[in-house]
Amino acid sequence: MSVLAAVVDGILDAVSQRAFRTETQIREFIRGHNARQVEKRYGLTEKAKSAMQLDDVRAIRIFVSDQEQTWLVVVSRMAYYVRDDRRHEEPLIETWGNVKSLLPADADENWSTTVGVLHFGNRSRGRYYSKELFSGESANVAVSRFLSGIEDEETHQTG
């Protein structure tokens, strides 16, 4: 690749990337996703429209890099893993299932100086977390507290 092509590609990457979603936007995104799922299954009723308020959705950011950030989102007893990749128009939602199945959260802090790996319940696949987001308390304690519904303002990360 020529130098000019590399420069042009770099400029296009820089100007075409969208901003990361904020915590409120991520919560609204999941709320909308759930509303669409309810509508598909049961039709759009007044009860379905008012079934979930934004306050019913909790989110905590667990990883951030130049290109993406990831969130754990809890709605009632369901947990979602949401990857907000700036190179894509919409975040990617992974449904994880029941919150209780994700407990306990266990952090492997030995991955690197800036990134660790969180393991959830008996799941074999770990997820990266940014150590800087959990400087006040260990990631496993903060994430377990979040999943359990016990929030501490100092450990709750906003975006």
Side-chain angles (χ1 to χ4, degrees), residues 58-69:
R58 298 180 294 116
I60 185 171
R61 186 171 51 169
I62 63 170
F63 177 77
V64 65
S65 71
D66 291 342
Q67 296 299 321
E68 69 182 68
Q69 61 182 5

Side-chain angles (χ1 to χ4, degrees), residues 8-19:
V8 170
D9 284 349
I11 291 170
L12 288 174
D13 284 345
V15 298
S16 65
Q17 289 181 350
R18 62 173 175 75

Side-chain angles (χ1 to χ4, degrees), residues 61-95:
R61 186 171 51 169
I62 63 170
F63 177 77
V64 65
S65 71
D66 291 342
Q67 296 299 321
E68 69 182 68
Q69 61 182 5
T70 55
W71 297 82
L72 284 179
V73 182
V74 172
V75 180
S76 186
R77 293 180 300 265
M78 290 296 294
Y80 300 87
Y81 178 81
V82 181
R83 193 177 75 182
D84 184 18
D85 189 324
R86 296 173 68 183
R87 297 164 289 197
H88 301 284
E89 190 172 325
E90 294 290 330
L92 171 70
I93 301 171
E94 244 181 76
T95 305

Side-chain angles (χ1 to χ4, degrees), residues 17-59:
Q17 289 181 350
R18 62 173 175 75
F20 283 133
R21 299 290 202 283
T22 64
E23 178 185 353
T24 301
Q25 290 169 325
I26 291 292
R27 290 172 46 225
E28 182 63 42
F29 186 73
I30 291 296
R31 189 176 75 78
H33 169 77
N34 277 5
R36 288 186 298 278
Q37 296 303 314
V38 167
E39 183 179 351
K40 281 181 189 176
R41 288 188 184 153
Y42 307 109
L44 187 59
T45 64
E46 287 305 313
K47 187 176 181 181
K49 283 195 274 187
S50 64
M52 186 193 324
Q53 302 300 317
L54 191 57
D55 290 346
D56 297 334
V57 183
R58 298 180 294 116

Side-chain angles (χ1 to χ4, degrees), residues 142-154:
V143 170
S144 292
R145 183 186 321 245
F146 171 78
L147 290 171
S148 299
I150 305 165
E151 292 192 65
D152 180 348
E153 288 302 314
E154 291 180 24

